[in-house]
Amino acid sequence: MGMIHIILVAASMSYHVFMRPDRAYIKMVRYGVQALFLLLTVHIGYRFFAFLQHFTTPGNPFVERPHAVDAFLPIAGFMSFKYALFTGIVEPFHPAGLVMFTAIVAVSVLVKKGFCGWICPVGTLSQYVWMAGERIFGRNFRMERFTDGSFRSLKYILMAFFLLFIGFAMAPNMMLLFFISDYYMIADVKTMLFFTNISTLSLWVIGVIGILSLLYKNVWCRYLCPYGALLGLLSRWSPARIERTEQACTHCGACSRNCPSLIDVEKQEAIRSAECFGCLTCVASCPAPGALDVTITSGRRRSILHPALFPVVLLGIFYLIIGAAMMLGIWRSQIPYEEYVRVLSGM
Ligand code: SF4
Ligand code: SF4
């Protein structure tokens, strides 16, 4: 009896939260998902640090390497992706990098740049900084259109460099030479050392980006991240998008005012911008029922997706790919313990 009562209360609460006409709760759901992924990232980083300590500082117990740390090697993931496409072979040192790259690309193609808006810890930190800036200065600033456009081209230039270098210039046999090098084997360690032994120049660069992020929204994501640039371009083919219905819209402007990607939602019927990261802030802010929806278009069929289901679909695709890869044995690094002892003991 007690269990049935709990289920009924939970069902009734879910109904009141998810079916109420105002959709402000979506913002809270997203903040919660982002915070969880940020905590997960910290946890993975901590475990990887403990794993390293075992090899570099005598007396530290062995901690198993968290394979998800390969998510921080997007370039390696891209290289493995191309290598697997051309040779049918999954490189065995950082296979989780390939899996993460595939999952992130798949999410972007299917449900907008949702990885950036819901999962990426860098996007979340960036958001916390501009929110802090909003509190301190009472608002965030906006660059003049031409300056904004010019700075935005930076991330596309960086993206083009990686695409040209890895996608076209680097042949699979060149990649193989890189894959068997000690440098590649501990690419994850090098990435961690970049942050733990940070140079003065890198600290200055991060500091400047941090200060600019207090003033302007999402400076790293909007102007500099080549990964986000690629995902944004791919997301233009996504069947999921935000659509505005003119008949229901009261032109209150709340959607455009609140969009963290500075998209003028109020003036568009369908958001096709590569900057839209599916955060649903516009949908959450819209006071007019039926004016803004998440839609899924397939051929001539167009259906409305309940906004509460958007993160379910997004996380479902993400974890389905990771789960399938794990079941196929494409997740765990095959680097032997002795190799870590050889390469890391002198560091
Ligand atoms: S258009 Fe809507 S979903 Fe896209 S970034 Fe702006 S607020 Fe988020
Ligand atoms: S928030 Fe809704 S009602 Fe207001 S302008 Fe945007 S779509 Fe129209």
Side-chain angles (χ1 to χ4, degrees), residues 242 259-261 263 265 271 275-282:
I242 309 294
C259 173
S261 290
I263 298 168
V265 183
I271 309 301
E275 296 301 329
C276 173
F277 50 74
C279 66
L280 308 191
T281 308
C282 52

Side-chain angles (χ1 to χ4, degrees), residues 194 199-212 220 224:
F194 173 83
S199 68
T200 314
L201 176 67
S202 308
L203 212 54
W204 268 102
V205 172
I206 293 175
V208 169
I209 294 175
I211 290 168
L212 287 174
W220 169 258
L224 295 167

Side-chain angles (χ1 to χ4, degrees), residues 244 249-255 266 286-288 291-292:
R244 192 179 60 84
C249 174
T250 59
H251 288 283
C252 67
C255 49
E266 187 196 351
C286 177
L292 266 190

Side-chain angles (χ1 to χ4, degrees), residues 25-263:
Y25 67 87
I26 298 165
K27 231 159 105 172
M28 293 303 135
V29 173
R30 187 170 79 92
Y31 291 166
V33 172
Q34 286 180 300
L36 281 178
F37 274 100
L38 189 58
L39 287 176
L40 185 64
T41 308
V42 172
H43 175 71
I44 291 168
Y46 176 73
R47 282 191 64 87
F48 187 60
F49 182 72
F51 166 81
L52 276 185
Q53 289 290 96
H54 171 71
F55 294 97
T56 53
T57 318
N60 282 298
F62 177 74
V63 174
E64 200 186 341
R65 177 181 179 273
H67 300 288
V69 80
D70 289 340
F72 295 95
L73 306 173
I75 298 170
F78 180 35
M79 286 173 73
S80 303
F81 185 77
K82 179 181 168 184
Y83 189 74
L85 270 186
F86 277 76
T87 63
I89 299 168
V90 174
E91 73 76 17
F93 286 177
H94 300 291
L98 164 70
V99 177
M100 288 295 215
F101 180 80
T102 312
I104 291 167
V105 165
V107 162
S108 307
V109 171
L110 295 171
V111 277
K112 298 293 303 174
K113 217 168 53 163
F115 171 80
C116 301
W118 291 77
I119 299 177
C120 179
V122 182
T124 303
L125 286 177
S126 206
Q127 176 185 305
Y128 291 166
V129 177
W130 70 249
M131 281 174 156
E134 202 173 35
R135 288 254 165 145
I136 296 166
F137 304 110
R139 69 185 181 105
N140 294 115
F141 298 88
R142 245 185 127 133
M143 283 189 200
E144 180 263 324
R145 204 184 163 99
F146 177 76
T147 318
D148 177 67
S150 312
F151 280 143
R152 263 195 289 156
S153 63
L154 288 174
K155 67 180 174 191
Y156 292 109
I157 294 171
L158 289 170
M159 180 199 76
F161 169 78
F162 288 119
L163 280 184
L164 284 174
F165 183 64
I166 298 168
F168 296 102
M170 212 171 183
N173 51 356
M174 276 170 74
M175 284 180 180
L176 185 59
L177 287 178
F178 181 54
F179 288 155
I180 58 175
S181 66
D182 281 357
Y183 184 93
Y184 181 75
M185 191 171 75
I186 55 160
D188 46 359
V189 180
K190 300 266 182 204
T191 307
M192 173 154 261
L193 290 179
F194 173 83
F195 291 103
T196 51
N197 300 344
I198 197 156
S199 68
T200 314
L201 176 67
S202 308
L203 212 54
W204 268 102
V205 172
I206 293 175
V208 169
I209 294 175
I211 290 168
L212 287 174
S213 303
L214 278 172
L215 305 174
Y216 302 99
K217 283 182 177 169
N218 300 319
V219 167
W220 169 258
C221 312
R222 190 172 177 82
Y223 302 116
L224 295 167
C225 179
Y227 206 3
L230 175 69
L231 301 181
L233 291 183
L234 293 173
S235 77
R236 290 177 67 95
W237 284 288
S238 171
R241 66 174 69 111
I242 309 294
E243 286 192 1
R244 192 179 60 84
T245 303
E246 180 62 33
Q247 293 83 345
C249 174
T250 59
H251 288 283
C252 67
C255 49
S256 299
R257 257 196 323 277
N258 290 303
C259 173
S261 290
L262 312 178
I263 298 168

